[in-house]
Amino acid sequence: MSFEEKTSETVNSLKCQNCGAILHYAPGTNSLKCEYCGTVNQIEEATLPASIQPVDYAQFIAEQKNHTETTQEAVVVKCTGCGASTTMLPNVTADSCPFCASPLVVDTAQTTAILQPHYVLPFVVKDSEAVQYFRTWMSKLWFAPSDMVKKVKDGSSQQLKGVYIPHWSYDTDTYTEYSGQRGEYYYTTETYTEEVNGRTETRTRQVRHTAWYPTSGRVNNSFRDVLVSASPSLPLKMAEILEPWLLDQLKKYDGRYLSGFRAEIYQTNAEQALVVAKRRMDPVICDEIRDDIGGDEQSIDSYDVEYNNLGLKYLLLPVWISAYRYNGKLYHFVVNACTGEVTGDRPYSWIKIAGLILIIILVIVVIYSLSQSK
């Protein structure tokens, strides 16, 4: 099937056969639902976990350089505030950026060819459930400004926007040669003097020392699904807090899962993300080296890592996100749309903090006064 035929087929499958409206994916299901007449269409494809396989990294990079990778057309709008590029929802005439809350210039949206993801993790958490997760998280924040908390509690699901965040997933088997030193403890008896009840006594004690011995060796590690967010619009630390994702529920990419939601276009490419992935693998490799060195202490002098069988998956992972400005500063709140995990930035109420400090000072003064009066 040609690209044009496949695109036409997807577009037609998004139309309600009853009233002609655009069908939207229903979170937590395998179906599309019409918001106007309630018609439900099933999505036939259901990828089995055993069929989730990476593509060869080197081949993928070569296809990108030769412009032979699989692409699809999408209407994309770029935010003039933060630079994030996201797909546009149909029939939208005014909107705001999900990452920085800036107004989007919808007139600048363009139809362009974008890289087709390998897999998509469909939304499971509904917008109303995400709001509840959001409110629960907010209620646990100490020293949050009262007006902000009230704004969140009085808000609705319109505060949150459903967005698929692009991620790169890496699989690899590493082979590492290292050199280092193994430290082994040994003890000597030391004599010392100590004054006891006005008398000087001679005593002994065991003193620990470390003997270092040069060592070298090799270790092997297998890594699966090392995730790196391809979206600088969402801080990397925040993206990592949302982990783990339910990757066993990945579906082979189907545009119907995106209907009713936005998808951000990746801004960090696969080669750039691999550098980050290697950084994430490094502590695991170093721990393996230390285990291999053994002894009581370990010192790694140098190591060289080979990344074999390097595989890659381009994924779209779902979040509910809210971005707003408070006192001129931008804050993000993000809900993992599979697990309900919540993370975000938060402002502090210095009035509340000052009040608590004042209370602590008063308690200390009262306790001191009572102790002096006895």
Side-chain angles (χ1 to χ4, degrees):
M1 182 184 295
S2 69
F3 174 74
E4 290 77 11
E5 290 172 329
K6 187 173 182 180
T7 301
S8 177
E9 181 184 273
T10 301
V11 171
N12 289 333
S13 69
L14 293 176
K15 289 184 179 179
C16 176
Q17 301 302 314
N18 186 43
C19 68
I22 297 295
L23 299 170
H24 288 171
Y25 172 67
T29 72
N30 222 36
S31 60
L32 298 165
K33 185 175 182 180
C34 179
E35 297 181 351
Y36 297 95
C37 68
T39 297
V40 175
N41 284 7
Q42 290 296 120
I43 300 176
E44 302 81 12
E45 175 68 25
T47 301
L48 297 175
S51 66
I52 302 173
Q53 297 293 333
V55 298
D56 181 77
Y57 174 82
Q59 181 180 341
F60 177 84
I61 297 300
E63 288 177 349
Q64 283 209 305
K65 290 180 178 178
N66 296 325
H67 304 288
T68 57
E69 74 275 19
T70 303
T71 59
Q72 64 178 38
E73 285 191 348
V75 179
V76 178
V77 62
K78 185 172 183 177
C79 175
T80 57
C82 67
S85 293
T86 55
T87 55
M88 280 295 297
L89 299 176
N91 303 320
V92 171
T93 57
D95 208 344
S96 60
C97 175
F99 298 101
C100 71
S102 298
L104 290 175
V105 183
V106 179
D107 292 343
T108 63
Q110 295 181 341
T111 300
T112 184
I114 61 174
L115 177 67
Q116 180 173 300
H118 300 125
Y119 296 97
V120 57
L121 187 60
F123 274 74
V124 174
V125 176
K126 300 180 179 66
D127 54 357
S128 57
E129 296 171 332
V131 168
Q132 191 54 52
Y133 285 129
F134 187 27
R135 290 174 178 170
T136 301
W137 181 80
M138 179 65 73
S139 66
K140 296 177 181 179
L141 295 182
W142 284 29
F143 309 124
S146 300
D147 55 343
M148 185 199 71
V149 175
K150 184 177 186 303
K151 179 180 178 181
V152 171
K153 289 184 176 180
D154 294 343
S156 67
S157 60
Q158 293 179 352
Q159 288 181 306
L160 298 172
K161 295 183 184 295
V163 182
Y164 281 101
I165 304 294
H167 282 70
W168 300 106
S169 172
Y170 297 90
D171 293 356
T172 187
D173 300 312
T174 61
Y175 172 81
T176 307
E177 293 187 347
Y178 70 86
S179 63
Q181 299 181 66
R182 179 177 63 254
E184 296 184 355
Y185 296 151
Y186 68 95
Y187 296 85
T188 59
T189 302
E190 180 182 81
T191 302
Y192 68 99
T193 59
E194 185 176 50
E195 189 170 312
V196 180
N197 297 324
R199 295 185 306 171
T200 300
E201 295 186 1
T202 301
R203 297 186 175 185
T204 61
R205 59 189 172 197
Q206 293 293 101
V207 179
R208 191 181 78 185
H209 307 275
T210 304
W212 291 98
Y213 303 93
T215 184
S216 61
R218 59 198 63 84
V219 296
N220 297 285
N221 292 85
S222 291
F223 294 92
R224 298 295 177 265
D225 288 316
V226 179
L227 286 177
V228 178
S229 171
S231 165
S233 307
L234 188 65
L236 186 60
K237 183 177 180 181
M238 193 174 291
E240 292 177 356
I241 291 175
L242 292 175
E243 297 178 15
W245 296 86
L246 306 180
L247 298 183
D248 60 331
Q249 297 180 17
L250 284 170
K251 306 288 186 181
K252 188 174 177 61
Y253 178 77
D254 188 320
R256 290 174 290 185
Y257 287 113
L258 275 61
S259 183
F261 300 96
R262 289 198 185 160
E264 189 188 9
I265 312 304
Y266 76 83
Q267 298 180 58
T268 303
N269 65 36
E271 292 173 294
Q272 294 167 330
L274 179 58
V275 176
V276 180
K278 289 179 178 179
R279 266 203 312 266
R280 297 196 71 181
M281 291 183 252
D282 195 65
V284 178
I285 294 172
C286 288
D287 285 344
E288 187 71 19
I289 292 174
R290 292 188 184 95
D291 287 343
D292 195 62
I293 289 175
D296 298 307
E297 292 185 27
Q298 305 82 32
S299 175
I300 303 172
D301 295 333
S302 64
Y303 60 99
D304 183 57
V305 185
E306 291 182 9
Y307 299 89
N308 303 312
N309 306 317
L310 187 55
L312 173 74
K313 294 189 288 288
Y314 177 33
L315 312 176
L316 292 183
L317 304 182
V319 301
W320 291 103
I321 184 170
S322 175
Y324 72 95
R325 295 187 180 276
Y326 183 82
N327 287 342
K329 185 177 179 181
L330 179 66
Y331 294 93
H332 292 99
F333 295 94
V334 190
V335 181
N336 181 320
C338 275
T339 64
E341 181 72 29
V342 183
T343 185
D345 308 313
R346 48 82 53 83
Y348 288 86
S349 170
W350 296 110
I351 295 177
K352 290 184 178 181
I353 294 174
L356 178 62
I357 293 174
L358 181 59
I359 291 173
I360 293 174
I361 292 173
L362 289 175
V363 169
I364 292 174
V365 170
V366 169
I367 293 175
Y368 178 77
S369 299
L370 290 175
S371 65
Q372 293 298 307
S373 62
K374 290 181 181 180

